[in-house]
Amino acid sequence: MARDTDKIEREIEAARNQLASTLDELSVRASPKRIVESTKQSLVSKLNEPPVKYTLIGVGAVVAVLVVRKIFS
C-alpha cells in the first residue's frame, strides 16, 4: 500500500511540474511584446518577398504619376 501512495505522490509531483512548465511557456507566448515582435517580423518578411515588394513599388509609381498629373493638370 505504501508503494502505491509513493507512486501516486510522484505522479502528482510530475504533473505539477509539467503544469508549471506549460504555464510558464504560455505566459511567454502570450506576452504582448512578443506578439507584436512576431507580427512585425512576419509582416517585414512578407513585404520583402519579391512579388509583394515589386507590386508595391509598381502601385506606388502609378499613384505618384497620377498625383503629379493631377497637380499639373
Side-chain angles (χ1 to χ4, degrees):
M1 194 70 172
R3 286 182 177 244
D4 291 335
T5 305
D6 290 339
K7 183 180 177 185
I8 291 171
E9 287 178 359
R10 284 193 306 272
E11 290 174 354
I12 290 171
E13 187 62 32
R16 281 185 187 146
N17 290 337
Q18 181 63 37
L19 181 59
S21 175
T22 302
L23 289 174
D24 289 343
E25 186 176 339
L26 286 174
S27 69
V28 168
R29 285 186 183 182
S31 167
K33 287 181 183 178
R34 184 172 170 91
I35 292 171
V36 168
E37 186 61 34
S38 174
T39 303
K40 181 180 171 183
Q41 285 178 342
S42 175
L43 182 62
V44 167
S45 70
K46 186 68 175 173
L47 290 176
N48 282 330
E49 291 178 5
V52 176
K53 182 187 269 186
Y54 297 132
T55 300
L56 290 175
I57 290 171
V59 169
V62 169
V63 169
V65 167
L66 292 175
V67 168
V68 169
R69 281 184 58 188
K70 182 77 172 177
I71 290 173
F72 291 112
S73 292

